[in-house]
Amino acid sequence: MAGLNGIAFKFANLNIRLDQLLAVILIIFLIFDLLIGRKKLYIDLPGKFLIMFFIVSFFSSYVYSPDRNYSIIQTINILSAASVYFIIPNSITDIKIETKFLKSFVYAGIIMCVMGVALFIIAHLGITDYGVNLIDDPTTTPYGVYSTMLEPNIYGSYSVIYFIFALNMLLIKDFSTIKKRILVYLLFVSAAGVLLSFTRGAWLAALISIFMSLIILKKRHRKKKLIKQFATYLSFAGIVIVAIVGFAISNYFLLYKINNFLNASSGTGYGRIEIWTLAIGNIPNHLLLGNGTYSFAAIYATRFYDPRHNAWIGNFLVTILHDTGIIGIIFFFGFLIILLGKGILKRNENEANANNIELFPFSLSMSSIAMLIAFFFTTGFSFTYAWIPFGLISYFNNKRKLNYT
């Protein structure tokens, strides 16, 4: 369901997405289990920071937002997606459920990335343009694949999560739960997904995260021939991508994207920077607690205001600082630093031979970092896919803590 975030239906004048609906249903089941005593609630330290962040979000939305109702509704919207973070570690109760969930996580990534590639090829053949925009017009949906998701930036950030996850799992050589063949498939199709999203955020996230992963893996695991293994996987991935989609990509457009990769004045780059500058200029008005969730559109509306269509910030860092102020960003980065720090840091001297208690959190943490880099160009925290890696890291951090104590 996490990959179906572009599909929604109307209820009580609200757009309810399928991924959001499933998260709400699961949280209801979890609350029921807690009330009847079937389960005990587990909330880790990062989770407590996250709860404090949402308290700040509700407060700033109620007190400072120009459109109080919209900001409160959007805070609830993000919270419903973020509930996945609490659902996962409280729902995986044994090794069988863990294995099934991890396999479902990987297979879902393969299916969604393959669907995006297939839709691109079909659109290029002129059969249908569902899930794809092949018109380079900044007034429409951005150029690229978005499949069953909201837009190409979301599809790109979704694909880059799986690309970095698969790459790290293959380099670590942890095939205890997911077979090597499946991870290779995931690497190839997610690489194609990142490419076909045609979003510089996803491309930049992939490049930086690859570089970081190689440095950390080389230092931590002291693996021999790491660069050779990496080059082999990426070479094969490149061959597969060219074979599948190379014929369908306009050479002119691909060269244009590469040449203007870091050109902020091309495409939507200039508009993004202009919006970020305006948002940063408004931050001092409510420096400590912010202006309320997604309040930017209302603050900068001139003639016509519609929160569904007016400009929004896009950059997750500027958005959090603008909406929840210094206090909000302290809580949110407290959540991220503690969670990902535990996922990345080495916990025992024999980690090179450790099971997935050590290795899964590392790969998931690196994929989460890739997602966060992509979120400098779009914010996806209102979608459940963004919270699944976080929830899995929380689960594994707790599992290895129990194994060590």
Side-chain angles (χ1 to χ4, degrees):
M1 283 290 188
L4 304 178
N5 55 66
I7 301 175
F9 62 91
K10 285 279 187 180
F11 177 78
N13 206 30
L14 295 173
N15 283 322
I16 299 179
R17 301 189 317 272
L18 293 180
D19 66 322
Q20 185 182 42
L21 177 62
L22 180 60
V24 171
I25 293 172
L26 290 175
I27 202 69
I28 291 172
F29 278 115
L30 177 59
I31 292 172
F32 178 76
D33 286 341
L34 294 172
L35 290 175
I36 65 174
R38 187 182 298 171
K39 292 180 180 177
K40 290 185 178 180
L41 182 63
Y42 167 73
I43 300 179
D44 57 5
L45 181 58
K48 293 173 183 176
F49 272 82
L50 187 60
I51 290 171
M52 292 304 299
F53 166 76
F54 279 109
I55 291 173
V56 173
S57 297
F58 277 110
F59 181 84
S60 60
S61 296
Y62 183 83
V63 175
Y64 298 120
S65 176
D67 188 345
R68 178 188 298 173
N69 290 338
Y70 178 75
S71 289
I72 290 175
I73 288 172
Q74 291 307 309
T75 304
I76 295 171
N77 181 36
I78 298 172
L79 179 59
S80 67
S83 65
V84 169
Y85 177 79
F86 303 100
I87 292 170
I88 291 175
N90 281 283
S91 299
I92 302 179
T93 54
D94 57 52
I95 190 64
K96 289 184 179 179
I97 297 176
E98 174 192 311
T99 301
K100 287 181 180 179
F101 191 93
L102 289 171
K103 288 182 177 179
S104 298
F105 170 72
V106 169
Y107 290 139
I110 292 175
I111 291 170
M112 296 311 303
C113 291
V114 167
M115 186 183 300
V117 174
L119 288 172
F120 180 83
I121 295 173
I122 291 171
H124 183 76
L125 296 174
I127 299 173
T128 177
D129 61 354
Y130 176 80
V132 182
N133 178 38
L134 299 181
I135 301 173
D136 186 20
D137 182 356
T139 63
T140 65
T141 300
Y143 185 99
V145 174
Y146 55 95
S147 188
T148 55
M149 303 181 197
L150 189 65
E151 48 105 357
N153 281 292
I154 298 299
Y155 178 76
S157 63
Y158 179 92
S159 299
V160 83
I161 291 172
Y162 282 101
F163 175 65
I164 296 301
F165 171 78
L167 179 62
N168 277 282
M169 292 297 291
L170 286 166
L171 293 177
I172 291 172
K173 295 185 177 180
D174 179 9
F175 313 125
S176 57
T177 303
I178 311 298
K179 294 179 180 178
K180 179 180 180 180
R181 171 172 50 87
I182 301 301
L183 289 170
V184 170
Y185 291 159
L186 179 62
L187 179 73
F188 289 174
V189 297
S190 60
V194 171
L195 174 66
L196 294 179
S197 70
F198 283 105
T199 54
R200 70 183 86 195
W203 291 4
L204 187 64
L207 292 174
I208 294 175
S209 301
I210 287 171
F211 183 69
M212 291 175 62
S213 297
L214 290 174
I215 291 175
I216 297 173
L217 284 174
K218 190 73 175 176
K219 183 177 180 181
R220 288 179 54 177
H221 296 275
R222 298 182 177 86
K223 284 185 172 292
K224 297 179 179 179
K225 301 180 180 179
L226 183 69
I227 302 299
K228 182 179 179 180
Q229 293 171 7
F230 163 75
T232 301
Y233 284 125
L234 264 293
S235 297
F236 277 112
I239 292 171
V240 171
I241 291 170
V242 170
I244 295 175
V245 302
F247 75 94
I249 300 176
S250 164
N251 289 333
Y252 169 78
F253 187 78
L254 184 59
L255 289 173
Y256 169 80
K257 278 286 186 179
I258 295 173
N259 291 334
N260 291 277
F261 181 49
L262 297 177
N263 184 1
S265 64
S266 68
T268 59
Y270 180 77
R272 290 177 189 272
I273 292 176
E274 189 175 27
I275 289 174
W276 299 345
T277 302
L278 290 171
I280 291 171
N282 192 58
I283 289 171
N285 293 341
H286 300 290
L287 185 60
L288 288 179
L289 294 169
N291 299 281
T293 304
Y294 294 168
S295 58
F296 178 78
I299 292 172
Y300 284 100
T302 52
R303 298 184 227 172
F304 172 74
Y305 167 63
D306 182 347
R308 297 168 299 176
H309 299 101
N310 285 60
W312 63 304
I313 299 170
N315 183 303
F316 93 94
L317 179 60
V318 178
T319 299
I320 293 173
L321 189 56
H322 177 275
D323 293 356
T324 62
I326 292 175
I327 294 177
I329 207 164
I330 287 173
F331 282 128
F332 195 80
F333 270 82
F335 159 73
L336 290 177
I337 291 170
I338 297 171
L339 180 71
L340 300 182
K342 287 183 178 179
I344 292 174
L345 292 176
K346 188 175 181 179
R347 291 291 297 271
N348 69 44
E349 293 304 317
N350 298 315
E351 185 181 341
N353 299 314
N355 58 19
N356 60 10
I357 295 176
E358 290 288 357
L359 304 180
F360 264 104
F362 175 79
S363 298
L364 289 163
S365 295
M366 295 310 301
S367 65
S368 297
I369 289 172
M371 177 188 71
L372 291 171
I373 296 171
F375 280 1
F376 273 93
F377 297 85
T378 189
T379 50
F381 287 120
S382 57
F383 304 109
T384 57
Y385 80 89
W387 299 94
I388 292 175
F390 292 150
L392 282 169
I393 296 167
S394 175
Y395 164 75
F396 278 111
N397 284 344
N398 183 49
K399 181 179 177 180
R400 67 183 185 177
K401 176 183 175 183
L402 295 174
N403 274 262
Y404 292 151
T405 56

